[in-house]
Amino acid sequence: MSVKDKNIVIGICGGIAAYKITYLVRSLVKSSAHVQVIMTPEAKAFVTPLTFATLSKNPVYADYFDPNTGVWHNHVDLGLHADLLLIAPATANTLSKMAHGGCDNLLLATYLSAKCPVMFAPAMDLDMWSHPSTQDNVSRLQGFGNILIAPTSGELASGLSGEGRLAEPEDIFEAISTFFHDALPLKGKKALVTAGPTHETIDPVRFIGNHSSGKMGFAIAEVLQQLGAEVMLVSGPTALKTPEKVQRHNVTTAQEMLTQVEQHFEDADIVVMSAAVADYTPVEVASKKIKKKDEVFTIALRKTTDILATLGAKKLAKQTLVGFALETDNELENAKGKLARKNLDYIVLNSMQDQGAGFAVDTNKVTIIGKDLHTIELPLKSKKEIAKDICDIIADHQLAKGEQS
């Protein structure tokens, strides 16, 4: 879901439709959104703060200061760290204050200081909704850039029937989900990611391989998809589950990986080569299992095609090409040399000297080096967090390319 990990502040006003927001909060939390509820003093007469606290798994804010806990609820922080502020149900009274700068409660103070996008879903009787002053306020709010989730027609609390009914929770959820999807920085972009090891066959039961688990590449594929990209993942042998909505091609050898990557390279805007591809492969593959008989056994090896250098040589102007380097000595110098030789936009340096980094673990510590040699050192984090940092840099690079074209 596109609401996953989003910080959503929901402001609830004093109207009978407040009960519908319980269903919305529950749906958002089930979809892994982080929900913070703010209630106007009047809203507490319709649904208790305890209900929303239980559903959102967060304390509910209704006043600037909580005398029981001594906690000051900072409206600036609430609006600053949110990805979206939704005001629903938005009463005629609150709409008027929003439109004209009124600020007599915590919700309105949060609205006036919010740096994030704002949605509002009105709910009121049909005559109140159709009144020219209400319609002027709605138009004024839309002129500010706020997003209207229009009320629907139906039975109203007054017993009348007409326009003014709060949009259904599932429709509000869909509006929020669509908003985040449309706002994704990599929407419309195609990404190609490689991950995992390659296995170079010696005989029917043996191979040359490495300790790569594929976790870093799979995390990058997942994050790129969450940022809106259409992702093709080419994976060597690994038992990892394919990230949601990511297309996957399984390969075994370096040659198979090269073949798959070349098929998709030209269409890709973003290429992240995180796979640990074998540098050498056996010259001959035995058709039967090689028996153990000699004290010393020698296998003739030949170089595999350097996939990253091959791609770098034909990189297109639209593309962001990212490589990985795992080093044990002269790490920074070796990574910078690889960056230049292979015509990369970025290289991600892993050091085998860092505890908790490298193969087969859930954490990593990397240094990201740009084509201009600008260096970003990231501390030890989960591979998912490292993936987010890398993908944010990729998204910024793609945005800059779009502005230049």
Side-chain angles (χ1 to χ4, degrees), residues 125-141:
D125 208 55
L126 71 165
D127 293 325
M128 297 172 68
W129 171 247
S130 62
H131 196 281
S133 60
T134 302
Q135 291 302 307
D136 284 347
N137 289 334
V138 170
S139 296
R140 186 176 177 87
L141 290 173

Side-chain angles (χ1 to χ4, degrees), residues 10 23 27 51 112 174 191 307 321 336 339:
I10 300 181
Y23 300 101
S27 296
T51 299
L112 289 174
E174 183 62 29
I307 300 177
L321 180 58
K336 288 179 179 178
L339 173 75

Side-chain angles (χ1 to χ4, degrees), residues 95-335:
L95 290 178
S96 177
K97 292 175 181 177
M98 290 168 62
H100 298 280
C103 186
D104 60 0
N105 59 46
L106 179 62
L107 173 56
L108 288 166
T110 302
Y111 165 72
L112 289 174
S113 59
K115 303 297 183 185
C116 62
V118 176
M119 286 182 164
F120 64 104
M124 62 197 73
D125 208 55
L126 71 165
D127 293 325
M128 297 172 68
W129 171 247
S130 62
H131 196 281
S133 60
T134 302
Q135 291 302 307
D136 284 347
N137 289 334
V138 170
S139 296
R140 186 176 177 87
L141 290 173
Q142 290 179 293
F144 295 160
N146 298 331
I147 301 166
L148 169 67
I149 301 176
T152 62
S153 292
E155 186 178 351
L156 303 170
S158 64
L160 300 175
S161 184
E163 195 172 15
R165 181 186 177 94
L166 180 70
E168 294 303 314
E170 56 268 28
D171 295 327
I172 299 176
F173 180 93
E174 183 62 29
I176 294 171
S177 182
T178 299
F179 166 77
F180 281 122
H181 181 266
D182 290 345
L184 294 174
L186 295 179
K187 185 183 178 185
K189 301 293 184 180
K190 293 186 177 182
L192 173 63
V193 180
T194 64
T198 63
H199 290 175
E200 307 304 317
T201 304
I202 297 172
D203 63 21
V205 297
R206 300 182 181 93
F207 61 84
I208 298 171
N210 56 63
H211 297 297
S212 174
S213 65
K215 290 179 179 179
M216 191 72 252
F218 274 62
I220 288 171
E222 181 179 6
V223 174
L224 287 173
Q225 190 282 323
Q226 290 172 349
L227 291 175
E230 179 185 326
V231 181
M232 174 65 67
L233 174 63
V234 179
S235 174
T238 175
L240 295 176
K241 182 181 177 182
T242 306
E244 186 179 355
K245 298 181 181 178
V246 168
Q247 298 181 60
R248 176 177 174 178
H249 282 296
N250 292 325
V251 298
T252 301
T253 67
Q255 182 58 46
E256 290 172 354
M257 184 166 284
L258 172 64
T259 300
Q260 279 296 331
V261 166
E262 287 191 315
Q263 285 183 17
H264 301 286
F265 176 72
E266 192 171 318
D267 290 335
D269 302 286
I270 299 158
V271 182
V272 183
M273 303 294 292
S274 66
V277 182
D279 294 320
Y280 291 90
T281 189
V283 173
E284 294 183 2
V285 177
S287 60
K288 297 181 179 181
K289 179 183 176 182
I290 300 171
K291 298 297 184 180
K292 182 173 67 173
K293 53 185 178 179
D294 298 324
E295 287 295 324
V296 177
F297 177 66
T298 302
I299 301 175
L301 302 175
R302 60 176 170 78
K303 274 188 177 182
T304 58
T305 302
D306 189 326
I307 300 177
L308 195 53
T310 300
L311 301 183
K314 54 185 179 182
K315 186 179 68 167
L316 304 175
K318 69 171 184 175
Q319 291 176 321
T320 301
L321 180 58
V322 181
F324 276 67
L326 180 63
E327 303 291 342
T328 58
D329 57 273
N330 297 322
E331 293 119 338
L332 201 57
E333 293 77 8
N334 288 336

Side-chain angles (χ1 to χ4, degrees), residues 326-385:
L326 180 63
E327 303 291 342
T328 58
D329 57 273
N330 297 322
E331 293 119 338
L332 201 57
E333 293 77 8
N334 288 336
K336 288 179 179 178
K338 187 175 181 179
L339 173 75
R341 288 194 312 274
K342 302 189 179 184
N343 192 29
L344 310 180
D345 294 294
Y346 297 95
I347 193 161
V348 181
L349 170 63
N350 291 273
S351 172
M352 291 297 287
Q353 311 302 322
D354 294 324
Q355 187 174 1
F359 290 145
V361 293
D362 294 326
T363 55
N364 210 353
K365 181 181 179 183
V366 305
T367 301
I368 304 171
I369 308 165
K371 197 166 190 175
D372 58 0
L373 300 185
H374 176 67
T375 300
I376 301 172
E377 294 186 21
L378 299 179
L380 187 69
K381 300 181 179 182
S382 72
K383 286 185 175 177
K384 182 64 177 290
E385 290 174 314

